[in-house]
Amino acid sequence: MNPYWSKRLQHIVPYVPGEQPKDGAYIKLNTNENPYPPSPAVLAAITAAAGTQLRLYPEPECDALRGAIAEYYGLAPQQIFVGNGSDEVLAMAFLAFFSPEDRIAFPAISYSFYPVYADLFAIPYDAVPLREDYTLNVHAFDGAYKGIIFANPNAPTGMALPLVQVESLVAEHPEKLVIVDEAYVDFGAESAAGLVARYPNLLVVQTFSKSRSLAGLRIGFALGQASLIQALDAVKNSFNSYTVDRLAQAGAIAAIKDCTYFEQTRNRIMETRERTADGLKALGFTVLPSKANFVFASHPQRSAAALFTALRQRKILVRYFDKPGIDQFLRITIGTDDEMEALLGALQEILQN
């Protein structure tokens, strides 16, 4: 450990993102990016914003973008927080709502950034187990926690809690802040956004990266009652008042207003997901029911690590997690129909050898 490093970094294991190949020769099914480009309206808005005003700071409170998101969800602008990707929004939520004297809980199998944030900010936590079928047991959060965080749909399983169970969890624990990470909700799950007005202990976090094809712009947002949003604003303005740049704000506004394009692309992905799941099952894979833009699949006769390596040798990238409970699964992003046909063909060839 370098003597100049902070002590808090001594035991931190940073989050490791999916591989981003440099040569561009791969079929890239490993980072849950959207296979389709952003709406043409997004590109036009960014082009229009890329003028002489780039010399000026962007709007620090993202007022126009907050207004567009609020209109989409039937909320007020003061119930919206915007950040530089949902990862940043989640990090600010950890800082805004939890302290080292608190204890929080999240699923043991879920987005691996949650324990990283907790360790970085010295927040004690319990990683609660999923059921044997990988579903989330909401009663596992019945302990004396200050906060509950879970992804819905979950990552990397893709499985989603019905909205009635989400609401039950929020309603039964009014003393706990419940953060629902809905990065993948637009691919078939039920959003808790409609519950925000009724529950002061609910924060819903979403992103433009997945369903709106804007991973490269880094736009995330939170929905919650005004008192929660004020806390997030306080953290942001104590750290960096200009987290979202001018081009990103312009592109995100155009994206959320183009509902037709959004519906078309997400429906294409969901249709391809179901065909892919059927194809994997025909090859002998077990595929968990997914409401995300990826599937989580295992094969009873082949190790996931070996399949991952064999696919990579064929220039197809998927995600493998060498972690207990999921080390026999591959997480496979849904690409275009042609990409998924190439994947299934490669797997058939691998399994025949």
Side-chain angles (χ1 to χ4, degrees), residues 50-63:
T52 59
Q53 290 203 345
L54 286 180
R55 66 187 178 83
L56 303 175
Y57 285 112
E59 163 56 51
E61 302 304 326
C62 304
D63 288 335

Side-chain angles (χ1 to χ4, degrees), residues 27 29 34-36 268-269 272 275-276 333-342:
I27 294 177
L29 307 175
N34 197 309
Y36 303 111
R268 287 179 72 182
I269 290 168
T272 303
R275 286 195 295 272
T276 300
T333 302
I334 301 304
T336 64
D337 288 336
D338 288 345
E339 288 173 334
M340 304 319 289
E341 286 299 320

Side-chain angles (χ1 to χ4, degrees), residues 304-320:
L307 290 172
F308 167 82
T309 300
L311 285 170
R312 197 180 191 288
Q313 291 170 346
R314 290 163 174 78
K315 298 294 186 179
I316 300 175
L317 294 179
V318 297
R319 195 78 193 268
Y320 170 67

Side-chain angles (χ1 to χ4, degrees), residues 1-315:
M1 175 65 65
N2 188 297
Y4 300 111
W5 285 27
S6 164
K7 290 182 179 180
R8 74 174 60 221
L9 291 182
Q10 291 181 4
H11 305 292
I12 294 294
V13 179
Y15 172 77
V16 179
E19 180 182 358
Q20 296 283 2
K22 303 292 191 249
D23 58 17
Y26 291 84
I27 294 177
K28 195 168 178 297
L29 307 175
N30 65 327
T31 51
N32 298 340
E33 294 150 320
N34 197 309
Y36 303 111
S39 159
V42 170
L43 304 180
I46 293 173
T47 300
T52 59
Q53 290 203 345
L54 286 180
R55 66 187 178 83
L56 303 175
Y57 285 112
E59 163 56 51
E61 302 304 326
C62 304
D63 288 335
L65 178 53
R66 283 186 174 190
I69 295 171
E71 181 179 1
Y72 183 85
Y73 287 100
L75 297 170
Q78 60 265 32
Q79 295 173 309
I80 313 297
F81 176 81
V82 178
N84 192 31
S86 62
D87 287 338
E88 180 181 86
V89 174
L90 287 165
M92 290 184 177
F94 272 68
L95 272 173
F97 304 116
F98 311 128
S99 302
E101 62 268 22
D102 300 321
R103 180 168 287 273
I104 62 175
F106 43 76
I109 297 174
S110 192
Y111 188 28
S112 54
F113 233 140
Y114 303 153
V116 174
Y117 292 140
D119 289 339
L120 181 62
F121 302 134
I123 301 165
Y125 66 88
D126 289 339
V128 302
L130 300 179
R131 296 190 180 98
E132 288 188 11
D133 63 357
Y134 296 95
T135 57
L136 178 61
N137 178 10
V138 294
H139 297 295
F141 297 121
D142 288 346
Y145 300 117
K146 173 72 180 295
I148 298 167
I149 303 97
F150 65 95
N152 197 45
N154 197 12
T157 68
M159 300 177 73
L161 273 181
L163 184 59
V164 64
Q165 291 189 40
V166 175
E167 182 170 12
S168 176
L169 178 65
V170 176
E172 291 174 8
H173 298 280
E175 77 286 1
K176 301 169 185 175
L177 177 66
V178 179
I179 300 176
V180 186
D181 180 357
E182 294 187 343
Y184 304 102
V185 74
D186 291 327
F187 299 104
E190 300 173 282
S191 176
L195 305 178
V196 163
R198 301 204 299 277
Y199 295 101
N201 63 321
L202 172 64
L203 190 76
V204 178
V205 178
Q206 289 199 18
T207 179
F208 282 74
S209 295
K210 314 300 182 184
S211 58
R212 290 182 170 83
S213 308
L214 293 182
L217 280 192
R218 312 305 302 125
I219 296 287
F221 59 97
L223 313 173
Q225 292 196 10
S227 61
L228 298 181
I229 302 305
Q230 288 167 6
L232 291 171
D233 281 331
V235 170
K236 176 182 78 74
N237 291 326
S238 300
F239 174 70
N240 178 8
S241 293
Y242 301 100
T243 59
V244 182
D245 68 61
R246 185 181 297 274
L247 302 186
Q249 291 186 45
I253 291 169
I256 203 162
K257 289 185 175 181
D258 193 346
C259 294
T260 299
Y261 187 86
F262 164 72
E263 292 291 344
Q264 289 173 346
T265 53
R266 75 177 186 129
N267 285 334
R268 287 179 72 182
I269 290 168
M270 288 189 285
E271 290 166 2
T272 303
R273 179 188 68 207
E274 298 311 307
R275 286 195 295 272
T276 300
D278 289 342
L280 288 167
K281 291 173 185 176
L283 293 174
F285 283 86
T286 296
V287 184
L288 298 187
S290 175
K291 296 293 185 181
N293 66 334
F294 57 85
V295 293
F296 207 46
S298 66
H299 197 281
Q301 276 84 46
R302 299 295 182 97
S303 78
L307 290 172
F308 167 82
T309 300
L311 285 170
R312 197 180 191 288
Q313 291 170 346
R314 290 163 174 78
K315 298 294 186 179

